[in-house]
Amino acid sequence: KVMSLKIVFMGTPEFSLPALKALIDNNLNIAKVYTQPPKKSKRGQKINSSPIEDFSKKNGIEYRIPKKLNIDEELKIFKSLSPDIAIVVAYGQIIPKEFLNIPKFGFINIHASLLPKWRGAAPIQRAIMNEDKKIGVSIMKIEEQLDSGPVLISREINLNKNLTHGEIEKELSLVGANLLIESLKIIKSGNSKFNKQDHSQASYARKINKNETKINWNLDSKKVLAHVHGLSPNPGAWFEFHNERFKVLRAIRSSKNGKPGVVLDKNLTIGCKLESIQILELQRQGKKKQATKEFLLGNKIDTGTILI
């Protein structure tokens, strides 16, 4: 029975929650949860504990929040848990190699890409921005090199270009949670076959850099849309108008043609190199997000205006 596996779970953001919930819903034996220590909010007023810490507290699950794992004391503590398997879902720290062989079945990881494509920190965002047709989740064994371990099982879904990164991430976190339970059954049955990745096919999903968030209207509408949705809701792709930044959170493509960066109509359709995009949802600096209709009631952006 899968129930008898002694599990250590490591995760931090919202994306990790469905996996932890799935373990609990299946009555699995969670020896300990590891998550990142609370972070100060941007203005330092508030201390934000991770979604996984909040969930563990609420559900009476024992958890640890070590600042770093690669110290002797943490290795000792981890050994003393003598887990059968460790599950990592967007934990946010590299697992030291001394840890990797302690669990009987090693460490497995839910990674939000079809490995070996998009190893690294921002797989979903990069897949959207790259206009990939498919996206998915892989369950892999953790080895020393980043996201390079053999894959047990993966699931692909079609990438809907009208969905934002936030929405696709939610969907994949649920796919990953189901896949995790399936994987544990396979591992427990003793029939697990981990397949080596073809490293020659690997691509790297580097972290999103602030320098790449500004919208470039000199690209065609497909590219601009992929950029907008790949960065929505965070950090957000933006343009400038009257020295203020406006994040575009949702848009659709339009067949209207006009000069790049020029407002083409009263519905906030903006010209691109080829065709245009119509902005459906945006957020003014320091304000709440708004639907374009609502936004335009209080803000006038005339047809013919050039956005930079």
Side-chain angles (χ1 to χ4, degrees), residues 218-231:
N218 291 306
L219 299 171
D220 66 47
S221 64
K222 271 180 159 167
K223 266 270 175 260
V224 174
L225 186 71
H227 183 225
V228 162
H229 284 172
L231 298 180

Side-chain angles (χ1 to χ4, degrees), residues 217 239 241 246-248 250-252 254 256 261-271 276-283 290-297 299-305 307:
W217 303 109
F239 62 83
F241 171 65
F246 293 80
K247 282 184 190 179
V248 181
R250 191 186 295 279
I252 45 170
S254 156
K256 283 190 176 170
V262 173
V263 179
L264 305 180
D265 61 18
K266 295 203 164 17
N267 301 320
L268 219 48
T269 303
I270 319 293
S276 53
I277 67 161
Q278 186 191 338
I279 296 174
L280 300 178
E281 206 174 271
L282 71 170
Q283 185 175 15
Q290 288 181 301
T292 298
K293 279 187 178 138
E294 186 194 347
F295 169 82
L296 289 172
L297 294 174
N299 304 274
K300 209 159 144 55
I301 300 187
D302 294 318
T303 304
T305 303
L307 306 176

Side-chain angles (χ1 to χ4, degrees), residues 28 44 62 69 73 82 89 98 102 119 125 140 146 162 197 208 285:
L28 296 180
E62 288 190 24
L69 292 175
E73 188 201 352
S82 56
V89 190
E98 297 78 37
I102 293 171
R119 296 173 177 177
Q125 289 169 306
M140 51 161 276
L146 182 71
N162 290 317
Q197 290 185 43
I208 302 294
Q285 223 168 342

Side-chain angles (χ1 to χ4, degrees), residues 102-129:
I102 293 171
K104 182 175 162 191
F105 297 106
F107 275 74
I108 62 170
N109 178 30
I110 300 181
H111 183 73
S113 84
L114 297 165
L115 290 166
K117 203 173 186 183
W118 300 129
R119 296 173 177 177
I124 306 172
Q125 289 169 306
R126 293 292 171 199
I128 299 168
M129 289 163 79

Side-chain angles (χ1 to χ4, degrees), residues 86-101:
I87 296 163
V88 179
V89 190
Y91 175 48
Q93 271 194 59
I94 301 286
I95 310 300
K97 70 172 194 289
E98 297 78 37
F99 279 62
L100 295 180
N101 295 319

